Amino acid sequence: MDQEREIIVGMKQRVMMVALFAVITSPVCAAKLSGPARILDGNTIEIEQSKLRLSGIEAPETDQICLDAHGRKWACGIAARDELIKHSNGRTWDCHTTGGDEYGRSGGSCFIEGEDVSAWMVRSGWALSSDPSTHTYVIYEVVASKAHAGLWSGAFIAPWDWRRGNKGTIIIGASSVPIDARELLLGSALLSDPPSSECLIKGAVDRNGERIYHLPGQLSYEQLDMTKKPGERWLCSEAEAEATGWRKAAR
């Protein structure tokens, strides 16, 4: 009797999961967007006032620093964003969106004149495949690494590791990794200066776990030491900050 009850319960759960999957993947939850894109970072765009995160890839954060072929630091996150802006060049994007993330962005696959933008980002070395298990874009990583393109021109940290950098973080690259790469990319002094003169907004996580950004001129801005707390970020615009889950400081 107990076994029969377990089978019935299991069948009900399976039916509920199938129904839920049908709702999630139904056209009601999906949308199509078309038009010129405003590029906020290498992962995030805005079309028709809708914010969208490119699916299947991870581009470097705008404050991310990489090392070039000579072991010198460069603002690879800014470069990735700017290369996507140049590639877009005001052309029309066609995006198919589904679901959303904790920051209110839809996920989506986007195309410019039929070309998969995510594939272009990985193939050009400006992003990594975010889900190697699907093998969707992994082959393009191989192409980019062999060509020493973009991030692969030197050494860098995978974007998901950059956000939580610690002693266990792996430094990767197409060829050799400089012996001092870890100190250069994870050293305590790294965040003391912005990666670019345009990225002057300070982002910090408060004691409640809320992501707060502080603008130059605000009282809190001068009080915030960017080398003291984990999770601190330099941000390049209020639009980028708000699209990635940051709230403006009250003062």
Side-chain angles (χ1 to χ4, degrees), residues 11-235:
M11 288 177 66
K12 286 182 177 179
Q13 289 176 337
R14 179 173 176 78
V15 168
M16 289 175 64
M17 289 300 294
V18 170
L20 178 60
F21 180 79
V23 170
I24 292 172
T25 58
S26 70
V28 175
C29 294
K32 291 183 179 180
L33 296 173
S34 183
R38 180 187 183 193
I39 287 120
L40 304 178
D41 62 30
N43 263 129
T44 309
I45 66 167
E46 187 176 61
I47 299 178
E48 300 175 357
Q49 298 184 329
S50 296
K51 294 179 177 64
L52 183 148
R53 189 184 191 284
L54 295 174
S55 297
I57 67 169
E58 284 261 14
E61 304 289 348
T62 49
D63 65 340
Q64 187 163 341
I65 300 297
C66 298
L67 301 180
D68 65 15
H70 303 288
R72 297 173 301 207
K73 293 188 287 186
W74 63 293
C76 56
I78 295 292
R81 182 203 63 187
D82 290 350
E83 288 299 321
L84 182 55
I85 291 172
K86 285 194 289 185
H87 184 66
S88 176
N89 194 29
R91 293 182 292 171
T92 296
W93 289 51
D94 295 302
C95 300
H96 306 276
T97 72
T98 55
D101 65 12
E102 58 186 313
Y103 307 133
R105 299 176 296 183
S106 298
S109 300
C110 293
F111 301 82
I112 300 176
E113 297 177 358
E115 178 184 48
D116 184 340
V117 177
S118 293
W120 180 85
M121 285 290 286
V122 178
R123 187 173 64 249
S124 301
W126 298 116
L128 299 181
S129 174
S130 61
D131 188 5
S133 64
T134 66
H135 304 294
T136 305
Y137 299 117
V138 171
I139 186 62
Y140 297 124
E141 280 190 22
V142 177
V143 172
S145 66
K146 287 184 178 297
H148 292 198
L151 309 176
W152 297 98
S153 62
F156 63 99
I157 296 171
W160 48 85
D161 278 339
W162 174 265
R163 292 191 289 268
R164 62 170 188 270
N166 54 47
K167 293 181 179 180
T169 299
I170 297 173
I171 313 295
I172 57 180
S175 52
S176 61
V177 174
I179 192 169
D180 58 346
R182 182 171 299 280
E183 177 58 29
L184 290 171
L185 294 177
L186 292 171
S188 59
L190 183 65
L191 287 174
S192 60
D193 298 310
S196 166
S197 59
E198 67 176 276
C199 301
L200 300 179
I201 300 173
K202 294 179 178 180
V205 180
D206 67 14
R207 66 183 64 184
N208 298 316
E210 190 171 6
R211 293 149 66 94
I212 309 294
Y213 70 87
H214 308 256
L215 298 176
Q218 289 188 294
L219 178 62
S220 56
Y221 185 88
E222 298 301 331
Q223 297 173 343
L224 185 59
D225 184 346
M226 293 294 283
T227 66
K228 295 297 185 183
K229 298 178 182 177
E232 290 170 340
R233 290 275 315 279
W234 289 100
L235 301 157

